[in-house]
Coordinates of all heavy atoms in Angstrom, one line a residue:
A265 N 17.3 -61.2 -7.6 CA 16.6 -62.4 -7.0 C 15.3 -62.6 -7.6 O 14.8 -63.8 -7.7 CB 16.5 -62.2 -5.5
L266 N 14.6 -61.6 -8.1 CA 13.3 -61.7 -8.7 C 13.3 -62.3 -10.1 O 12.4 -62.9 -10.6 CB 12.5 -60.4 -8.7 CG 12.1 -59.8 -7.4 CD1 11.5 -58.4 -7.5 CD2 11.1 -60.7 -6.7
V267 N 14.4 -62.0 -10.9 CA 14.4 -62.3 -12.3 C 15.4 -63.5 -12.7 O 15.4 -63.9 -13.8 CB 14.9 -61.1 -13.1 CG1 13.9 -59.9 -12.8 CG2 16.3 -60.6 -12.8
Q268 N 16.1 -64.0 -11.7 CA 17.2 -64.9 -12.1 C 16.7 -66.3 -12.6 O 17.5 -66.9 -13.3 CB 18.0 -65.2 -10.8 CG 17.3 -65.9 -9.7 CD 18.1 -66.3 -8.5 OE1 19.3 -66.7 -8.8 NE2 17.6 -66.3 -7.3
R269 N 15.4 -66.6 -12.4 CA 15.0 -67.9 -12.9 C 14.0 -67.9 -14.1 O 13.5 -68.9 -14.5 CB 14.3 -68.7 -11.7 CG 15.2 -69.1 -10.6 CD 14.6 -69.9 -9.5 NE 15.5 -70.3 -8.5 CZ 15.8 -69.6 -7.5 NH1 15.2 -68.5 -7.3 NH2 16.7 -70.1 -6.6
N270 N 13.8 -66.7 -14.6 CA 12.8 -66.6 -15.7 C 13.5 -65.9 -16.9 O 13.8 -64.7 -16.9 CB 11.6 -65.8 -15.3 CG 10.5 -65.8 -16.3 OD1 10.7 -66.2 -17.5 ND2 9.3 -65.4 -15.9
R271 N 13.6 -66.6 -18.0 CA 14.3 -66.1 -19.2 C 13.6 -65.0 -19.8 O 14.1 -64.3 -20.7 CB 14.5 -67.2 -20.2 CG 13.3 -67.9 -20.6 CD 13.5 -69.0 -21.6 NE 13.6 -68.5 -22.9 CZ 14.2 -69.1 -23.9 NH1 14.8 -70.2 -23.7 NH2 14.2 -68.6 -25.1
E272 N 12.3 -64.7 -19.4 CA 11.6 -63.5 -19.9 C 12.3 -62.3 -19.5 O 12.2 -61.2 -20.2 CB 10.2 -63.5 -19.4 CG 9.4 -62.3 -19.5 CD 9.2 -61.9 -21.0 OE1 9.5 -62.7 -21.9 OE2 8.8 -60.7 -21.2
F273 N 13.2 -62.3 -18.5 CA 13.8 -61.2 -18.0 C 15.3 -61.1 -18.4 O 16.2 -60.5 -17.8 CB 13.8 -61.1 -16.4 CG 12.4 -61.0 -15.9 CD1 11.8 -62.1 -15.3 CD2 11.7 -59.8 -16.1 CE1 10.5 -62.0 -14.8 CE2 10.4 -59.7 -15.6 CZ 9.8 -60.8 -14.9
L274 N 15.6 -61.7 -19.6 CA 17.0 -61.6 -20.1 C 17.5 -60.2 -20.2 O 18.7 -60.0 -19.8 CB 17.0 -62.3 -21.5 CG 18.4 -62.3 -22.2 CD1 19.5 -63.0 -21.4 CD2 18.3 -62.8 -23.6
A275 N 16.8 -59.3 -20.7 CA 17.2 -57.9 -20.9 C 17.5 -57.3 -19.5 O 18.4 -56.5 -19.3 CB 16.3 -57.1 -21.7
T276 N 16.6 -57.6 -18.5 CA 16.8 -57.1 -17.2 C 18.0 -57.6 -16.5 O 18.8 -56.9 -15.9 CB 15.5 -57.4 -16.3 OG1 14.4 -56.8 -17.0 CG2 15.7 -56.8 -14.9
V277 N 18.3 -58.9 -16.8 CA 19.6 -59.5 -16.3 C 20.7 -58.7 -16.9 O 21.7 -58.4 -16.2 CB 19.7 -61.0 -16.6 CG1 21.1 -61.5 -16.4 CG2 18.6 -61.8 -15.8
G278 N 20.6 -58.3 -18.2 CA 21.6 -57.5 -18.8 C 21.8 -56.2 -18.1 O 23.0 -55.7 -17.9
E279 N 20.7 -55.6 -17.6 CA 20.9 -54.3 -16.9 C 21.6 -54.5 -15.5 O 22.4 -53.7 -15.1 CB 19.5 -53.7 -16.6 CG 18.8 -53.2 -17.9 CD 17.4 -52.8 -17.7 OE1 16.7 -53.4 -16.8 OE2 16.9 -52.0 -18.5
H280 N 21.4 -55.6 -14.9 CA 22.1 -56.0 -13.7 C 23.6 -56.2 -14.0 O 24.5 -55.8 -13.2 CB 21.5 -57.2 -13.0 CG 20.2 -56.9 -12.3 ND1 20.1 -56.4 -11.0 CD2 18.9 -56.9 -12.7 CE1 18.9 -56.2 -10.7 NE2 18.1 -56.5 -11.7
L281 N 23.8 -56.9 -15.1 CA 25.2 -57.2 -15.5 C 25.9 -55.9 -15.8 O 27.1 -55.7 -15.4 CB 25.2 -58.1 -16.7 CG 26.5 -58.6 -17.2 CD1 27.2 -59.4 -16.1 CD2 26.2 -59.5 -18.4
E282 N 25.3 -54.9 -16.5 CA 25.9 -53.6 -16.7 C 26.2 -52.9 -15.4 O 27.3 -52.3 -15.3 CB 24.9 -52.8 -17.6 CG 25.5 -51.4 -17.9 CD 24.5 -50.5 -18.6 OE1 24.3 -50.7 -19.8 OE2 23.9 -49.6 -18.0
F283 N 25.3 -52.9 -14.5 CA 25.6 -52.3 -13.2 C 26.8 -52.9 -12.5 O 27.6 -52.2 -12.0 CB 24.4 -52.4 -12.3 CG 24.6 -52.0 -10.9 CD1 24.8 -50.6 -10.6 CD2 24.6 -52.9 -9.8 CE1 25.1 -50.2 -9.3 CE2 24.9 -52.5 -8.5 CZ 25.1 -51.2 -8.2
L284 N 26.9 -54.2 -12.6 CA 28.1 -54.8 -11.9 C 29.4 -54.4 -12.6 O 30.4 -54.2 -12.0 CB 28.0 -56.4 -12.0 CG 26.8 -56.9 -11.1 CD1 26.7 -58.4 -11.3 CD2 27.0 -56.6 -9.6
T285 N 29.3 -54.2 -13.9 CA 30.5 -53.8 -14.7 C 30.9 -52.3 -14.3 O 32.0 -52.0 -14.0 CB 30.2 -53.8 -16.2 OG1 29.9 -55.2 -16.6 CG2 31.4 -53.3 -17.0
L286 N 29.8 -51.5 -14.2 CA 30.1 -50.1 -13.9 C 30.6 -49.9 -12.4 O 31.4 -48.9 -12.2 CB 28.8 -49.3 -14.0 CG 28.3 -49.0 -15.4 CD1 26.9 -48.5 -15.4 CD2 29.2 -48.0 -16.1
T287 N 30.3 -50.8 -11.6 CA 30.9 -50.8 -10.2 C 32.1 -51.7 -10.0 O 32.5 -51.8 -8.8 CB 29.7 -51.2 -9.2 OG1 29.2 -52.4 -9.6 CG2 28.7 -50.1 -9.2
G288 N 32.6 -52.2 -11.0 CA 33.9 -53.0 -10.9 C 33.7 -54.3 -10.3 O 34.7 -54.9 -9.9
N289 N 32.5 -54.9 -10.2 CA 32.3 -56.2 -9.7 C 32.4 -57.3 -10.8 O 31.4 -57.9 -11.1 CB 30.9 -56.2 -9.0 CG 30.9 -55.4 -7.7 OD1 31.4 -55.9 -6.6 ND2 30.4 -54.2 -7.8
V290 N 33.6 -57.4 -11.3 CA 33.8 -58.2 -12.5 C 33.5 -59.7 -12.1 O 32.9 -60.4 -12.9 CB 35.2 -58.0 -13.1 CG1 35.5 -59.1 -14.1 CG2 35.3 -56.6 -13.6
E291 N 34.0 -60.2 -11.0 CA 33.9 -61.6 -10.7 C 32.4 -61.9 -10.5 O 31.9 -63.0 -11.0 CB 34.6 -61.9 -9.4 CG 34.8 -63.4 -9.1 CD 35.6 -64.1 -10.2 OE1 36.6 -63.4 -10.7 OE2 35.3 -65.2 -10.6
R292 N 31.6 -61.1 -9.9 CA 30.2 -61.3 -9.8 C 29.5 -61.2 -11.1 O 28.6 -62.0 -11.4 CB 29.6 -60.2 -8.8 CG 28.1 -60.5 -8.4 CD 27.7 -59.3 -7.6 NE 26.3 -59.6 -7.0 CZ 26.1 -60.2 -5.9 NH1 27.1 -60.6 -5.1 NH2 24.8 -60.4 -5.5
G293 N 30.0 -60.3 -12.0 CA 29.4 -60.2 -13.3 C 29.7 -61.5 -14.1 O 28.8 -61.9 -14.9

């Protein structure tokens, strides 16, 4: 929620995306 609107946090969004993959939340990812 903190990083979703600022492209400065692209790498951090990647970390959230990796977490969703690791927990099998593919649709959310």
Side-chain angles (χ1 to χ4, degrees):
L266 291 175
V267 301
Q268 63 172 327
R269 292 187 176 87
N270 187 349
R271 55 181 278 156
E272 169 60 12
F273 297 109
L274 175 64
T276 301
V277 170
E279 291 171 331
H280 286 273
L281 188 56
E282 178 185 283
F283 170 69
L284 294 176
T285 299
L286 286 167
T287 51
N289 289 281
V290 171
E291 195 61 37
R292 189 182 187 91

